[in-house]
Amino acid sequence: MVERYSRQILFPGIGETGQQLLKEKHVLIVGAGALGTGNAEMLTRAGIGKLTIVDRDYVEWSNLQRQQLYTENDARERIPKAVAAKRRLKQVNSDVSIDAQIMDVTPQELERICDGIDLIIDATDNFDIRMMMNDIAHKYKVPWIYGSCVSSYGISYTIIPGVTPCLHCLMRQVPVGGMTCDTNGIISPVVQMVTAYQSVEALKLLTKNENALRNKLVSFDLWTNQHTSINVEKLKNKDCRTCGERPTYPFLAYENQTKAAVLCGRDTVQIRPKKQGNRDWENLAFNLSKIGNVEQNPFLLSFTTDGNRLVLFQDGRVLVHGTNDVVHAKTLYNRYFG
């Protein structure tokens, strides 16, 4: 429908040719939180051909302040974010093909879903996952757009394999600790600003307007009115194990993958089983209901006992709420789901 995109087609940078290119493109968005929902909605309204949205979590009340696709009902029913996002986006533009994946991101999963991907957008809050994305993007020569925000601060950078420094070049090592939305809060305008930077770079790449790319790392603090644009070209490292002359893609190696992860200041530990597989949910729910409170929807089972809430997903992952102690979380996991 030309009328639907008429104002976008009138824009000289896109035009009819660019609009047709958008329709042919497939974008992977890793994470369906604040940045993920913002980018997904912009690209869906712009007429992208296909979106694959990957997220491991479900909608909670604290998400509603800034994660624009979700409703109170999604939080009330603990709908997985990928599913809730797909439902809303199909109402926005039914012509866009949307693949919603409820899963934890691992190198194996990235390898499986990256075939045919034209662009990856970072919308996660986890540097382990970002480094995996960085390796996958360079292994398969797929551009990706880094984005992060917390408090009133945001940052974004577009990474082109073989051209720009990669995230490994910039960071040199995976950051540990630091501010998170759960420890320092966040205001929604900073989300919209980072989303705008990511989405416009995505439109440039997807419509083959590489000459219009920003080519700099941008950071800003909306509350203190600071804005910085940095040329990081000289940081490209020829010995980098991800994008250098002899890449080994270290963050795809099994020993560098997190098996039990404390989730970003949320007083929650994720346990990922050795093997994925479906469980007999009906029997499990019946047995667990004898010792605690059980709630279910088609995507997850929530079990509360002794001050801890354990949420089981269909792929076998469990979120253990109420603790940051990995050992204690594993004990609870093995006691109830092992």
Side-chain angles (χ1 to χ4, degrees):
M1 296 186 294
V2 176
E3 177 63 23
R4 178 175 200 138
Y5 307 112
S6 60
R7 303 305 186 270
Q8 188 164 275
I9 291 172
L10 285 171
F11 176 67
I14 295 180
E16 292 185 4
T17 300
Q19 191 64 50
Q20 182 59 38
L21 285 171
L22 282 175
K23 187 178 180 180
E24 298 168 357
K25 300 300 183 181
H26 183 182
V27 174
L28 168 63
I29 299 180
V30 181
L35 295 179
T37 54
N39 277 289
E41 182 166 351
M42 285 195 185
L43 289 175
T44 297
R45 291 186 183 279
I48 192 70
K50 182 176 181 179
L51 281 180
T52 294
I53 302 172
V54 178
D55 195 277
R56 64 187 178 185
D57 213 343
Y58 54 88
V59 181
E60 297 184 283
W61 289 97
S62 63
N63 301 149
L64 302 182
Q65 168 250 354
R66 66 198 178 282
Q67 299 181 17
Q68 64 191 55
L69 293 178
Y70 306 133
T71 67
E72 290 184 352
N73 195 56
D74 294 328
R76 189 177 296 111
E77 297 185 6
R78 299 194 182 106
I79 302 298
K81 290 183 177 180
V83 172
K86 177 178 179 177
R87 288 177 179 175
R88 174 59 180 153
L89 292 171
K90 292 302 287 185
Q91 293 175 333
V92 170
N93 191 343
S94 59
D95 291 335
V96 175
S97 174
I98 300 173
D99 181 15
Q101 299 272 347
I102 310 167
M103 67 179 186
D104 189 29
V105 175
T106 66
Q108 292 75 24
E109 295 293 357
L110 285 173
E111 294 263 9
R112 179 178 66 82
I113 63 179
C114 75
D115 183 45
I117 295 292
D118 297 293
L119 175 68
I120 302 171
I121 294 181
D122 165 34
T124 182
D125 58 7
N126 183 300
F127 264 94
D128 285 335
I129 296 175
R130 286 188 177 116
M131 293 311 236
M132 292 179 201
M133 283 194 295
N134 190 50
D135 274 6
I136 282 288
H138 284 80
K139 182 176 180 179
Y140 292 98
K141 304 296 187 291
V142 179
W144 73 285
I145 305 173
Y146 164 64
S148 180
C149 52
V150 65
S151 188
S152 58
Y153 174 80
I155 186 171
S156 181
Y157 179 59
T158 301
I159 298 171
I160 312 295
V163 178
T164 68
C166 75
L167 190 63
H168 199 183
C169 290
L170 301 183
M171 308 306 298
R172 297 300 172 93
Q173 59 183 359
V174 178
V176 177
M179 296 192 302
T180 72
C181 296
D182 299 277
T183 58
N184 291 77
I186 187 168
I187 55 175
S188 58
V190 73
V191 174
Q192 303 302 319
M193 182 67 81
V194 175
T195 299
Y197 275 117
Q198 288 185 298
S199 292
V200 74
E201 291 285 280
L203 289 175
K204 295 172 188 176
L205 284 166
L206 297 170
T207 58
K208 296 186 177 180
N209 282 285
E210 290 87 351
N211 60 324
L213 290 171
R214 185 173 57 249
N215 297 322
K216 292 184 179 181
L217 184 149
V218 63
S219 66
F220 54 86
D221 190 318
L222 292 181
W223 202 258
T224 60
N225 306 306
Q226 296 177 345
H227 190 284
T228 305
S229 187
I230 306 171
N231 187 342
V232 295
E233 181 181 350
K234 293 183 179 179
L235 295 182
K236 187 169 176 58
N237 178 13
K238 65 181 179 63
D239 297 319
C240 176
R241 292 180 295 163
T242 294
C243 71
E245 296 175 354
R246 293 178 294 276
T248 59
Y249 311 116
F251 296 97
L252 302 184
Y254 179 80
E255 60 270 18
N256 287 329
Q257 299 174 32
T258 302
K259 285 76 179 179
V262 179
L263 300 189
C264 190
R266 288 179 52 196
D267 201 28
T268 298
V269 175
Q270 174 180 262
I271 305 294
R272 191 168 66 221
K274 294 179 181 178
K275 294 183 179 180
Q276 295 186 2
N278 295 324
R279 293 173 179 261
D280 183 350
W281 278 35
E282 184 175 346
N283 187 53
L284 181 62
F286 176 76
N287 290 329
L288 291 175
S289 66
K290 299 175 182 178
I291 53 177
N293 182 52
V294 174
E295 299 176 52
Q296 287 180 264
N297 64 37
F299 312 102
L300 55 83
L301 181 151
S302 175
F303 169 61
T304 304
T305 183
D306 296 329
N308 291 105
R309 181 160 58 89
L310 289 77
V311 178
L312 171 68
F313 292 84
Q314 289 184 340
D315 62 3
R317 288 182 302 112
V318 172
L319 298 183
V320 183
H321 297 285
T323 182
N324 284 324
D325 186 332
V326 171
V327 174
H328 179 57
K330 286 183 175 179
T331 299
L332 292 172
Y333 171 82
N334 289 323
R335 180 183 302 166
Y336 299 115
F337 298 122

